[in-house]
């Protein structure tokens, strides 16, 4: 089978990282896989990626990029195209509409789409775009329900397929982490969804109970400078470490004592699966599809925006790490959320879509 993946740009972000991992496993299964990026790259990804020269400022009238995509499709002749989140929906839809190619397209819904549609006009635009999409792959059951609440016409054309994790990564210990500290890990881009401002408030409450705590922030993004300034103004710079992008966040997750994720919007965050795989306990806000993997048997969920309870839960877990939760979480991930398993689920989905398109 020939598979074409579309990503926004070559960057170390969840949607793009998972697409590359998926492409590698699909290649290992014997399929011919290509990845196209829309916008100029920000970093290198471990896969050959072709850029079509799209411009973000022209995403609604980027005729040249739509034509470039059409040209590649005519040359490669894919059996299926997967648009992986964000602006890939626009480019796949517009190119298909104007150039009349008939390859079936799957849109991978990696979050809660209702959180990004703020007006009737935005909904109308997305309805137009989705007319050229055949099926949707939703990262979680909750994301699927959310998508259908907004776009009910996809009732029989949406499937739930989660992300997976790599189990062959070499993980090393971060030697700079002091064993005398409570090392709290957060992995995520500095964007509004990840809620770093509240994370700092949570950490200040934790410090009152556990003064030896350290907060380790892994990731980069547009709000990083603002959060660095916030940490400085609060006088806790000696307690918070910023690492920017790191090539293997599993090193930090495994070396930490706990992973925290107080996001306000999520689909199914891979960092939680990675933490489970590393046997590092997790505390997260109950948003998106997180409750599909975190429950009392595998971790701790807190109602969104409950800063005090979140902090107290972190303190409780650090004082008494729940061994049974950790083992249950590890078993869940290794049995159901490895990329070897997920890649096969996507292939089965593609065959269903192709068969439906031919019928």
């Amino acid at each position: 089978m020939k598979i074409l993946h579309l990503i926004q740009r070559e960057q170390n972000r969840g949607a793009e990282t998972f697409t590359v991992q998926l492409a590698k496993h699909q290649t290992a299964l014997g399929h011919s896989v290509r990845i196209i990026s829309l916008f100029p790259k920000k970093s290198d990804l471990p896969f050959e990626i072709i850029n079509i020269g799209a411009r973000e400022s022209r995403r609604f009238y980027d005729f040249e990029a739509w034509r470039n995509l059409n040209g590649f499709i005519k040359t490669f002749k894919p059996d299926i195209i997967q648009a992986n989140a964000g602006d890939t929906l626009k480019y796949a839809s517009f190119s298909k509409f104007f150039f009349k190619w008939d390859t079936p397209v799957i849109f991978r819904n990696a979050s809660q789409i209702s959180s990004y549609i703020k007006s009737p006009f935005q909904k109308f635009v997305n309805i137009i775009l989705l007319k050229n999409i055949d099926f949707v792959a939703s990262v979680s059951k909750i994301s699927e329900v959310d998508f259908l609440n907004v776009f009910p016409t996809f009732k029989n054309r949406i499937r739930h397929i989660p992300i997976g994790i790599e189990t062959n990564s070499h993980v090393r210990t971060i030697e700079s982490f002091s064993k005398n500290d409570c090392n709290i890990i957060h992995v995520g881009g500095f964007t509004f969804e990840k809620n770093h401002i509240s994370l700092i408030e949570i950490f200040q409450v934790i410090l009152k109970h556990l003064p030896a705590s350290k907060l380790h922030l892994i990731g980069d993004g547009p709000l990083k400078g603002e959060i660095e300034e916030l940490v400085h103004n609060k006088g806790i710079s000696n307690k918070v470490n910023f690492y920017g992008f790191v090539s293997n966040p599993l090193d930090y997750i495994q070396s930490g004592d706990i992973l925290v994720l107080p996001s306000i919007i999520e689909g199914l965050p891979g960092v939680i699966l990675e933490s489970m795989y590393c046997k590092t306990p997790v505390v997260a806000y109950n948003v998106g599809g997180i409750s599909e993997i975190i429950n009392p048997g595998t971790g701790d969920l807190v109602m969104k925006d409950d800063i005090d309870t979140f902090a107290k839960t972190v303190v409780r877990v650090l004082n008494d790490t729940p061994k049974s939760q950790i083992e249950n979480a590890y078993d869940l991930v290794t049995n159901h959320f490895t990329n070897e398993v997920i890649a096969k689920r996507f292939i089965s989905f593609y065959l269903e879509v192709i068969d439906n398109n031919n019928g």
Side-chain angles (χ1 to χ4, degrees):
M1 185 186 306
K2 289 186 175 182
I3 303 163
L4 175 60
H5 286 283
L6 307 182
I7 60 174
Q8 290 213 147
R9 59 162 43 90
E10 198 170 345
Q11 62 183 345
N12 293 289
R13 196 187 68 159
E16 287 79 8
T17 299
F18 173 67
T19 301
V20 167
Q21 292 170 349
L22 181 61
K24 284 184 173 182
H25 285 279
Q26 290 172 341
T27 301
L29 290 170
H31 303 284
S32 180
V33 186
R34 300 290 185 273
I35 298 179
I36 278 180
S37 66
L38 305 179
F39 308 127
K41 74 178 183 179
K42 288 187 174 179
S43 56
D44 292 322
L45 292 174
F47 200 91
E48 183 179 352
I49 295 173
I50 301 153
N51 182 262
I52 60 169
R55 288 175 282 180
E56 289 181 82
S57 61
R58 301 184 60 179
R59 51 166 60 93
F60 283 102
Y61 54 97
D62 201 345
F63 196 84
E64 183 178 352
W66 304 339
R67 183 175 56 201
N68 291 343
L69 177 56
N70 170 66
F72 185 85
I73 291 169
K74 281 188 173 180
T75 302
F76 181 51
K77 296 181 172 59
D79 298 296
I80 196 86
I81 297 171
Q82 182 165 312
N84 293 282
D87 287 312
T88 61
L89 170 62
K90 299 181 184 69
Y91 280 80
S93 182
F94 283 131
S95 181
K96 188 171 188 177
F97 175 78
F98 282 106
F99 293 96
K100 308 303 179 186
W101 44 265
D102 60 0
T103 309
V105 180
I106 293 166
F107 173 61
R108 196 173 80 83
N109 171 38
S111 189
Q112 288 187 278
I113 200 163
S114 65
S115 300
Y116 299 93
I117 295 180
K118 306 295 186 182
S119 69
F121 177 73
Q122 286 180 309
K123 182 176 180 179
F124 171 76
V125 170
N126 278 276
I127 288 172
I128 298 300
L129 294 172
L130 288 166
K131 286 183 182 292
N132 297 303
I133 304 301
D134 296 88
F135 273 73
V136 172
S138 194
V139 73
S140 68
K141 288 297 294 183
I142 288 177
S143 294
E144 178 182 334
V145 170
D146 175 75
F147 191 94
L148 289 175
N149 283 338
V150 183
F151 305 110
T153 58
F154 274 84
K155 181 177 180 181
N156 298 316
R157 295 185 292 134
I158 189 167
R159 301 290 181 268
H160 161 224
I161 308 179
I163 59 172
I165 62 162
E166 295 293 283
T167 58
N168 58 356
S169 301
H170 175 69
V171 183
R172 63 183 180 85
T173 300
I174 302 297
E175 300 295 341
S176 60
F177 281 17
S178 172
K179 293 182 179 179
N180 296 321
D181 293 331
C182 296
N183 293 295
I184 301 168
I185 311 297
H186 180 273
V187 180
F190 284 79
T191 60
F192 82 95
E193 297 98 332
K194 297 302 180 182
N195 201 21
H196 283 85
I197 292 176
S198 289
L199 174 57
I200 300 305
E201 293 180 39
I202 289 167
F203 182 60
Q204 286 185 287
V205 177
I206 293 170
L207 283 173
K208 294 177 182 178
H209 299 275
L210 296 172
S213 299
K214 289 284 182 70
L215 178 61
H216 304 273
L217 301 178
I218 293 92
D220 217 329
L223 301 181
K224 184 182 176 187
E226 177 183 332
I227 302 304
E228 288 175 325
E229 184 178 358
L230 176 66
V231 167
H232 173 76
N233 291 340
K234 288 184 177 293
I236 54 173
S237 296
N238 64 325
K239 293 289 186 177
V240 182
N241 295 321
F242 293 82
Y243 297 89
F245 166 75
V246 299
S247 59
N248 191 4
L250 268 69
D251 296 346
Y252 295 82
I253 295 170
Q254 179 170 272
S255 301
D257 297 298
I258 192 169
L259 178 97
V260 295
L261 199 70
S263 302
I264 56 174
I265 301 172
E266 285 288 357
L268 184 68
V271 65
I272 289 183
L273 298 173
E274 291 171 337
S275 191
M276 290 174 156
Y277 181 69
C278 291
K279 296 189 175 183
T280 301
V282 177
V283 177
Y285 276 153
N286 187 4
V287 298
I290 292 178
S291 62
E292 294 171 28
I293 51 174
I294 296 289
N295 56 58
T298 59
D300 286 272
L301 285 178
V302 179
M303 291 297 294
K304 187 175 74 169
D305 297 329
D306 191 343
I307 289 173
D308 192 55
T309 299
F310 197 109
K312 289 178 179 177
T313 303
V314 171
V315 171
R316 172 176 57 78
V317 173
L318 288 171
N319 283 329
D320 185 17
T321 304
K323 299 293 192 298
S324 61
Q325 272 188 352
I326 290 172
E327 292 302 324
N328 290 340
Y330 178 80
D331 290 343
L332 175 67
V333 169
T334 53
N335 288 324
H336 300 287
F337 291 94
T338 66
N339 278 329
E340 291 87 350
V341 171
I342 301 303
K344 292 176 182 176
R345 288 186 61 179
F346 269 100
I347 295 300
S348 296
F349 180 41
Y350 298 162
L351 293 173
E352 177 188 355
V353 174
I354 292 168
D355 183 63
N356 181 83
N357 196 59
N358 291 335

